[in-house]
Amino acid sequence: EVQLVESGGGLVQPGGSLRLSCAVSGFIFSDYYMDWVRQAHGKGLEWVGRSRNKANSYSTAYAASVEGRFTISRDESKTSLFLQMNSLKTEDTAVYYCVREGKGYCSNGVCNYAMDVWGQGTTVTVSS
Amino acid sequence: DIVMTQSPDSLAVSLGERATIKCKSSQSVLYSSNSKNYLAWYQQKPGQPPKLLIYWASTRESGVPDRFSGSGSGTDFTLTISSLQAEDVAVYYCQQYYTTLWTFGQGTKVEIK
């Protein structure tokens, strides 16, 4: 069964750091692009960042709102995705979802996929 | 960034009736190389993560009931629920995956009238 399980959320003060984890199972982790998407309480979905697959050196891309503060990484041996969040702000308070990009194919070097598997999310609260 | 705008923000439809949600992108999400629209629709029920319904603007995800359909091309897209069921009460989001940075519409809440 394909599964994504997030952990690591909690309460942190503004300016603090937190590291989220996403344990992956049921598919070949290194083959897939993976994302983090967040959702503030009662609000819409906001894409946070992306980790391309191993064939693309696990390169990353980030939303402007988190660029320079957040870092996505992977551990192949643990089949886990991570989101290191530094210099946290109150506006980073949200549920953070780990997501697989699994629907689509590469065309002329453009490899963009719809998000077909979502974790249950982990809650991050930034407050003093 | 590509801005995605959905309409309406909320919608109340009687059971068995049609529900129609619009999504407009600020620029085309049609990739000329493969003639694919990089547009997806998601359903989010209260307390749950989003669920993929439609990708490539009109391809239904496996297991999604055929009362859900997607249409449109370029910048204008539609999600149609042909006969609303009680379990379809949710918020629906469109999303473009044409250019990294992915962007979502603001969501449309569908309720029973």
Side-chain angles (χ1 to χ4, degrees), chain A residues 35 39 43-45 47 50 62 97 101 103-105 107-108 110 112-115 118-120, chain B residues 31 33-34 36 38 40 42 44 48-50 52 55-56 61 93 95 97-98 100-102 104:
Chain A
D35 294 61
Q39 185 172 36
K43 303 296 184 183
L45 301 168
W47 175 75
R50 184 195 206 198
Y62 300 94
Y97 294 105
E101 290 185 34
K103 290 297 181 183
Y105 57 84
S107 178
N108 276 6
V110 174
N112 297 343
Y113 310 89
M115 301 179 188
W118 295 65
Q120 288 297 312
Chain B
Y31 189 45
S33 178
N34 59 6
K36 294 289 191 184
Y38 284 65
Y42 301 87
Q44 187 177 32
Q48 295 184 19
L52 176 65
Y55 59 100
W56 294 144
E61 170 70 321
Y93 296 93
Q95 177 233 345
Y97 52 107
Y98 179 78
T100 333
L101 321 154
W102 312 148
F104 294 87

Side-chain angles (χ1 to χ4, degrees), chain A residues 16-60:
Chain A
S17 298
L18 207 58
R19 189 192 196 210
L20 305 184
S21 300
C22 172
V24 167
S25 59
F27 62 95
I28 301 174
F29 180 52
S30 58
D31 284 351
Y32 286 84
Y33 290 39
M34 299 291 297
D35 294 61
W36 289 96
V37 174
R38 68 185 181 184
Q39 185 172 36
H41 183 67
K43 303 296 184 183
L45 301 168
E46 181 187 15
W47 175 75
V48 172
R50 184 195 206 198
S51 166
R52 297 177 181 88
N53 59 10
K54 186 173 184 178
N56 288 280
S57 305
Y58 295 138
S59 58
T60 54

Side-chain angles (χ1 to χ4, degrees), chain A residues 30-97:
Chain A
S30 58
D31 284 351
Y32 286 84
Y33 290 39
M34 299 291 297
D35 294 61
W36 289 96
V37 174
R38 68 185 181 184
Q39 185 172 36
H41 183 67
K43 303 296 184 183
L45 301 168
E46 181 187 15
W47 175 75
V48 172
R50 184 195 206 198
S51 166
R52 297 177 181 88
N53 59 10
K54 186 173 184 178
N56 288 280
S57 305
Y58 295 138
S59 58
T60 54
Y62 300 94
S65 58
V66 306
E67 178 83 56
R69 299 189 298 124
F70 289 12
T71 303
I72 297 174
S73 62
R74 300 193 191 208
D75 185 330
E76 266 190 64
S77 64
K78 296 179 181 178
T79 60
S80 292
L81 182 74
F82 303 102
L83 180 64
Q84 177 67 44
M85 303 185 294
N86 298 330
S87 303
L88 281 160
K89 306 175 181 180
T90 55
E91 53 264 40
D92 295 318
T93 295
V95 174
Y96 284 74
Y97 294 105

